[in-house]
Each structure stands twice: as structure tokens, then as C-alpha cells.
Amino acid sequence: MTVSLQKGQRISLQKPGGGGLAVVRMGLGWDAVKKKGFFGSREQDIDLDASVVLFADHQVADVVYFGQLTSRDGSVRHTGDNLTGAGDGDDESIIVDLSRVPVHVTSLVFTVSSFQGQTFNEVQNAFCRVVDESTNQELARYTLTGGGAHTGMVMARLYRHGQEWKLNAIGEPSQGRTFQDMLPAIAAHA
């Protein structure tokens, strides 16, 4: 059963009956707002980019994005860049092998940014979801509501809480065409 997350909500990634999830996929999806024109409506391409910044005690330890598809230790992998947002389902995914994330990494902050500088006023149906890779079952979904003049969004954070992993839905608007531009906003959630 999927949990529909609200901004600021936290959930545990423990499996029912104990034990943690081994591998999760953070799927991000979006559609372009259809533009109405003289000859009807048309779709535009929206190049949003999913990124994840790995933190070790509030310091950047590694990053995974379209320019570096795998973390240095191999525990986090980006499945590739979607330049348009076209199609159903996840437009970009980042797979995290929680059992392989180095022990010094305390949190992973997931972001999405508009590489071409289009604002979220031009984006609709944007979501972030967590999927158990072993069963392909969606565990939680955070749906973004409304648009906005921002070009980036700090979406969610996976973090260690004792021996388990938890997920926090953030949904904080930001400005930036890349994760580097958004780093101050991202680091605030480390």
C-alpha cells in the first residue's frame, strides 16, 4: 500500500515485521503544461534533472546527477537523463542500495532542477516516489501541487535514524538550473 506523503511528513523504510529495505528507487516524474495557442494546444519539452547529494555529518560526501551517474562507491546510481518529460511514469530514477551506502553517509537529499531555466509554472503532474526495487512496489509518493516561479525543488531526504532509514518529504522551492546552484538550499536539509 502506498503512503501519500504531505510536505514535511516522515516515514520509516522498515519492512513490516522488521528488517530494512535493501534497495530503493527514487522515481521522479513530470509533464509540461500544454501551451494554448492560435492553432490549438501544444506541448513543450521540459528538461528537469534529478540529482542526489550524499552528506556525511552535514558535509557533501558525493553527488549523483546526469554528469556523474554513479556514486564513487557504487551504492547510488542514476538511470539516465530525460530531456523532455515525455511519457508516463518515472522520467528519471535514482537507485540507492541502502545496504551499501557507506556508514559515514548520514543523509541523501534528492532534488530536481530545470536545466533550461523553465519555472515550475510550466510543469504539471510532478511527483517523487519511493519504490522497493525487490518487489517493484511503490511505498510512498509525494505529489507536488501548484506551480511557482522557482526553477528547482528540494524534494526529499533519506536519512539514517539509528539502524534504520527514514524518508522525509521536503518539497521546498529553490532557484537553480543545477544541483550546484541549489547547494545552499540542499545543505539546509542535510
Side-chain angles (χ1 to χ4, degrees), residues 111-186:
T111 69
V112 63
S113 56
S114 176
F115 189 70
Q116 296 173 0
Q118 293 149 311
T119 70
F120 276 71
N121 284 328
E122 300 174 68
V123 175
Q124 64 184 3
N125 305 324
F127 66 86
C128 169
R129 69 188 193 122
V130 178
V131 176
D132 179 346
E133 271 297 282
S134 66
T135 64
N136 205 31
Q137 178 185 5
E138 182 177 288
L139 304 172
R141 177 180 287 255
Y142 175 55
T143 303
L144 297 178
T145 56
H150 51 280
T151 56
M153 178 76 66
V154 181
M155 298 290 288
R157 174 176 71 122
L158 280 175
Y159 64 99
R160 292 184 196 268
H161 182 77
Q163 296 298 314
E164 69 178 286
W165 286 94
K166 291 193 173 199
L167 174 72
N168 175 216
I170 298 170
E172 180 180 299
S174 183
Q175 294 297 331
R177 294 167 49 141
T178 65
F179 79 88
Q180 293 99 326
D181 298 340
M182 297 170 49
L183 212 43
I186 296 167

Side-chain angles (χ1 to χ4, degrees), residues 86-113:
D88 293 331
D90 299 339
D91 292 309
E92 294 192 10
S93 293
I94 298 174
I95 298 170
V96 181
D97 185 340
L98 297 170
S99 64
R100 291 183 53 207
V101 173
V103 294
H104 70 280
V105 172
T106 51
S107 65
L108 297 90
V109 180
F110 294 84
T111 69
V112 63
S113 56

